[in-house]
Amino acid sequence: RHFGYDEFPNLAYLYMNHNIVAQFPDNFHTLNKLLKVSLAGSEISAIPQYFSKFNQLQLIDFRNNNISALSSDIRVWLKAKIGESQGNTKKFEQLFANNPICKNIANKNLEFLDCAPVCSQFCYSRNALGNNLCDFTCNSKACEYDKGDCKK
């Protein structure tokens, strides 16, 4: 159950979509170089408090999980990350579509959560669309062929 800095000292991108991650490894909090974490469809029900210490994160993808609540620390951290990224081209992106928490977000003071689906379940980021690089995960009719970056 070790998956931390000692095992992966340079890990920056973690894409583990559609794997069962019922519980985060004990030393996951030591992965202080993480930039992108994508755990869509992984049966996650809560985001650990220590995620609020991952200050370098540019993307968290928790789409299609079982998240029904956020701790106050995670709420404060998300709002701050969103605020810091305003006008930044390497904008922080948080994806929560198809989680129980997205139902009635206005009643929960969670309007800052991005609960809208991305153009397809495979396209990992809105920031990847139309960035002059053809991203195969966004190369579909639904994603307008990566907003024109890919040819039909």
Side-chain angles (χ1 to χ4, degrees), residues 46-120:
I47 301 172
Q49 296 283 102
Y50 56 73
F51 261 77
S52 65
K53 306 294 184 210
F54 293 156
N55 294 320
Q56 296 181 55
L57 276 179
Q58 298 169 355
L59 167 74
I60 56 169
D61 182 356
F62 287 111
R63 293 176 290 172
N64 305 309
N65 278 293
N66 297 315
I67 299 168
S68 59
L70 296 175
S71 70
S72 59
D73 285 350
I74 295 295
R75 285 179 190 228
V76 168
W77 173 72
L78 281 171
K79 285 181 184 178
K81 290 290 287 180
I82 293 164
E84 290 168 9
S85 71
Q86 297 300 325
N88 184 345
T89 55
K90 294 206 180 232
K91 177 181 148 176
F92 174 70
E93 190 171 18
Q94 39 93 16
L95 304 171
F96 284 89
N98 299 317
N99 275 283
I101 197 169
C102 290
K103 295 176 182 164
N104 302 315
I105 60 173
N107 295 337
K108 299 175 188 174
N109 295 319
L110 296 169
E111 294 87 358
F112 60 90
L113 279 185
D114 186 346
C115 287
V118 180
C119 54
S120 83

Side-chain angles (χ1 to χ4, degrees), residues 6-53:
D6 290 340
E7 294 79 20
F8 303 99
N10 296 308
L11 185 64
Y13 301 92
L14 179 65
Y15 293 94
M16 290 181 51
N17 297 338
H18 306 288
N19 284 284
I20 298 172
V21 183
Q23 182 179 348
F24 284 86
D26 295 336
N27 59 344
F28 192 86
H29 68 280
T30 63
L31 294 169
N32 57 7
K33 293 185 179 180
L34 284 175
L35 297 175
K36 298 183 180 191
V37 175
S38 188
L39 294 164
S42 298
E43 299 187 19
I44 294 168
S45 59
I47 301 172
Q49 296 283 102
Y50 56 73
F51 261 77
S52 65
K53 306 294 184 210

